[in-house]
Amino acid sequence: MSGELPVIPPGERNVAPNLALQALLVAVLVLFLAACSQPGAQNGPTSSGSGSPACELITPEIAAKAIPGIVPMGQNSRARPFGTKAYLCTYSSKSEAGMTALSVSLTSPASAADIAKAKSTSDCSPVTGIGDFACLQWTGYFRGEAGGASANVVLTAVRGNETLEMPYVAGPPMDGADAPDGDAMARALTQAAVDAGWGNGSTLSVPAAPPVGPPATTDNPVCALFSPDEVRQAFGASTQPQILPREVSCRYTFGDLGTPGPDSLVFSVEVLKGAAPALGGPGGRGEPLDGIGDKASFTMTTEPAGPKSLRPAGDVPITILSVSAVRGRNLATFTAQVLIAPEGPTAEQTKDQLITLLRGVEF
């Protein structure tokens, strides 16, 4: 999860929607979807054949109108990604003020179970004027994660036999930039859906964003793998971590992301149930490890600190230590990102701390 923008792919959000698409152990995906036809049952999304129906629904023009400066990101092909029924499209932008990401996930045709699942999305405030059903969720910054939190606003909608999920993620404010505006983000998402043809003819009514509240709580089993105290003690941090739980992942963010040492740590865990056969286990490029799952490997890289990494700019690079492991049919990734201090634990010592924490973990 290097350079993670807690852009929350649908399958990873805590109170956010439920599409288990997170399969990128990198959190910089957000989804954006819709279908350009009138309300009512349809056989599938219309498409000019040039790319993903999700990108043809939320076009680059519509996306840029909603979020100035945002551009297409990654490969947006007509084929559905392996393991999902949804057509996908992703957009992102980077600036000195931070990062934003927008994803579109369009399921067409959607099954009755898909539609029921969308309509039962938890902690979702109703929106009128879009499709047969629409609602909004606010997570991350709006749930009270201080400091390095992202602001995540997600639109979930149903129209006829299609479902749409559009997460919009703004990184933490940097270089004196303003804090994310949950109301503005919600208006941008809902207007984009209307511009894409998902309006139902009634007046668009968007609920107000919640005030920033206390840290989110969760019974997420991924967060239950390690207690905050275990993580703090494992790496020798002096501060208690903030926790951002999602559907299939959990992130522990410590006190000072800009000052080298143990408290510059971001520790994240992702577990994809049943994904090992489809996505494969730890590759041959990493260092093989014993005692973690059935098979595991370790890799270590570095990258500059600064806006692109969502940390305060600095001369000390981010050291990214990652362990990928398979246990039965489950695939897990454990990542520690830290600024190595000259007087603190070395990269090799931090590696040992990470591996010691993981030995015997059952995921």
Side-chain angles (χ1 to χ4, degrees), residues 339-352:
L339 305 182
I340 300 296
E343 67 282 2
T346 64
E348 194 64 27
Q349 288 170 325
T350 304
K351 169 189 172 181
D352 292 341

Side-chain angles (χ1 to χ4, degrees), residues 1-5 25-28 235 251 257 261 264-269 286-287 289 297-306 308-311 316-324 333-341 345-352 354-355 358:
M1 294 194 181
S2 64
E4 174 179 6
L5 171 73
L25 317 164
V26 186
V28 187
F235 293 97
R251 192 175 79 243
L257 296 183
S264 68
L265 177 70
V266 175
F267 174 66
S268 54
V269 184
E287 172 192 339
L289 297 176
S297 67
F298 169 82
T299 58
M300 182 165 62
T301 58
T302 60
E303 66 179 36
K308 289 185 179 180
S309 66
L310 301 182
R311 290 176 183 256
V316 178
I318 305 167
T319 298
I320 301 155
L321 308 98
S322 184
V323 173
S324 295
T333 301
F334 309 91
T335 303
Q337 301 181 32
V338 66
L339 305 182
I340 300 296
T346 64
E348 194 64 27
Q349 288 170 325
T350 304
K351 169 189 172 181
D352 292 341
L354 172 63
I355 292 172
L358 302 184

Side-chain angles (χ1 to χ4, degrees), residues 13 33 43 61 70 106 118 121 136 200 277 282 290 292 294 336 354:
R13 293 183 293 269
L33 1 49
N43 294 324
E61 293 75 19
I70 206 159
L106 174 66
T121 302
L136 283 164
N200 60 21
D290 294 324
I292 302 173
D294 302 327
L354 172 63

Side-chain angles (χ1 to χ4, degrees), residues 6-95:
V7 172
I8 293 174
E12 264 208 7
R13 293 183 293 269
N14 56 328
V15 281
N18 34 34
L19 183 64
L21 122 88
Q22 163 95 350
L24 305 211
L25 317 164
V26 186
V28 187
L29 280 199
V30 244
L31 302 164
F32 203 146
L33 1 49
C36 281
S37 43
Q38 296 302 314
Q42 296 138 25
N43 294 324
T46 59
S47 168
S48 67
S50 61
S52 167
C55 293
E56 295 183 3
L57 177 62
I58 304 299
T59 63
E61 293 75 19
I62 291 174
K65 177 183 174 184
I67 307 169
I70 206 159
V71 296
M73 176 191 77
Q75 296 180 350
N76 297 313
S77 71
R78 279 197 55 75
R80 296 175 176 91
F82 181 80
T84 177
K85 296 186 291 184
Y87 296 98
L88 306 179
C89 187
T90 60
Y91 296 90
S92 70
S93 67
K94 298 179 182 179
S95 71

